[in-house]
Amino acid sequence: AQSVTQPDIHITVSEGASLELRCNYSYGATPYLFWYVQSPGQGLQLLLKYFSGDTLVQGIKGFEAEFKRSQSSFNLRKPSVHWSDAAEYFCAVATRDSGYSTLTFGKGTMLLVSP
Amino acid sequence: NAGVTQTPKFQVLKTGQSMTLQCAQDMNHEYMSWYRQDPGMGLRLIHYSVGAGITDQGEVPNGYNVSRSTTEDFPLRLLSAAPSQTSVYFCASTRQGGTEAFFGQGTRLTVV
């Protein structure tokens, strides 16, 4: 079965500094890859997704992610963090085994932004 | 176009009570699924459906039932609520091919 690892439970970044959130997956082939963001008490919003092709994908709110097949990673980046980016971030995969019908999530990384 | 609608938003149950969490989507998506979110655990799949009349179990199905009689609706039933089912529940729908899952706003359930 596939799994997703987000090694950092919490990350604190100063406003204006750059951000990288890590995500590694375990699956025999290349899955579909997603990053979601969740503000407190809210639902999940899709930031970006990767299916195939260019390994650097651009998303909303200035986020980007890079797929590295050799490292089974899909790390999320942002050049300059804003206080409004404070939220919980989830990496997720969908695999061919399930017909891409469901998602397997990592446990999330809570981003705190300091002034 | 409302997307994915979940009701209720909040619910408190007593141990042993039953209830149904409603989920409806108006995007004509084939796939629908239920997840529960617990602190430090991310979202875990409870049950899912790839079409009307077809359902299957996910990672944490015990204590829950589902059915899918129409494309639009995918209710989740708690048969006899337990405190361990205190959680936030999310419903999602996805177009066949899995290009993007759309989530409802969630139902916060407390079992006392």
Side-chain angles (χ1 to χ4, degrees):
Chain A
Q2 65 274 9
S3 64
V4 178
T5 302
Q6 294 180 245
D8 303 304
I9 298 174
H10 297 99
I11 282 187
T12 300
V13 175
S14 299
E15 191 168 15
S18 64
L19 168 71
E20 182 170 30
L21 301 182
R22 296 181 290 164
C23 172
N24 293 92
Y25 66 89
S26 174
Y27 182 59
T30 298
Y32 290 176
L33 295 152
F34 306 85
W35 274 100
Y36 285 87
V37 61
Q38 184 182 37
S39 298
Q42 300 298 310
L44 284 89
Q45 182 181 23
L46 180 68
L47 286 175
L48 45 77
K49 55 193 177 187
Y50 173 80
F51 301 139
S52 65
D54 192 344
T55 57
L56 185 63
V57 294
Q58 302 298 319
I60 63 171
K61 303 185 177 186
F63 286 92
E64 66 178 27
E66 185 173 14
F67 169 60
K68 292 186 177 180
R69 186 189 308 275
S70 61
Q71 298 177 19
S72 297
S73 69
F74 189 55
N75 294 349
L76 182 71
R77 301 194 293 247
K78 187 170 185 178
S80 177
V81 168
H82 187 262
W83 64 267
S84 60
D85 293 324
E88 191 160 23
Y89 292 79
F90 294 95
C91 181
V93 303
T95 67
R96 188 171 55 191
D97 292 354
S98 67
Y100 304 104
S101 63
T102 61
L103 294 170
T104 299
F105 285 87
K107 294 185 177 181
T109 298
M110 182 68 71
L111 173 65
L112 306 173
V113 180
S114 61
Chain B
N1 190 335
V4 179
T5 302
Q6 288 184 238
T7 56
K9 287 186 169 51
F10 300 94
Q11 183 72 48
V12 179
L13 285 180
K14 294 183 178 179
T15 298
Q17 286 185 317
S18 62
M19 79 159 295
T20 299
L21 279 62
Q22 302 291 345
C23 176
Q25 53 99 0
D26 61 359
M27 298 172 283
N28 203 32
H29 285 170
E30 294 83 358
Y31 303 158
M32 295 186 75
S33 47
W34 277 101
Y35 299 84
R36 60 177 288 173
Q37 183 180 21
D38 302 292
M41 299 296 292
L43 282 81
R44 293 179 291 168
L45 181 66
I46 304 172
H47 285 283
Y48 65 102
S49 168
V50 297
I54 306 169
T55 63
D56 207 345
Q57 297 181 352
E59 180 184 355
V60 288
N62 292 342
Y64 307 95
N65 262 359
V66 293
S67 60
R68 185 128 179 246
S69 56
T70 67
T71 299
E72 295 77 20
D73 299 298
F74 190 44
L76 178 72
R77 298 180 186 86
L78 280 69
L79 308 174
S80 177
S84 60
Q85 294 178 303
T86 294
S87 186
V88 181
Y89 292 84
F90 287 98
C91 178
S93 76
T94 309
R95 184 175 291 110
Q96 190 173 24
T99 51
E100 180 180 346
F102 292 83
F103 285 84
Q105 286 301 299
T107 296
R108 184 174 294 274
L109 175 68
T110 302
V111 182
V112 297

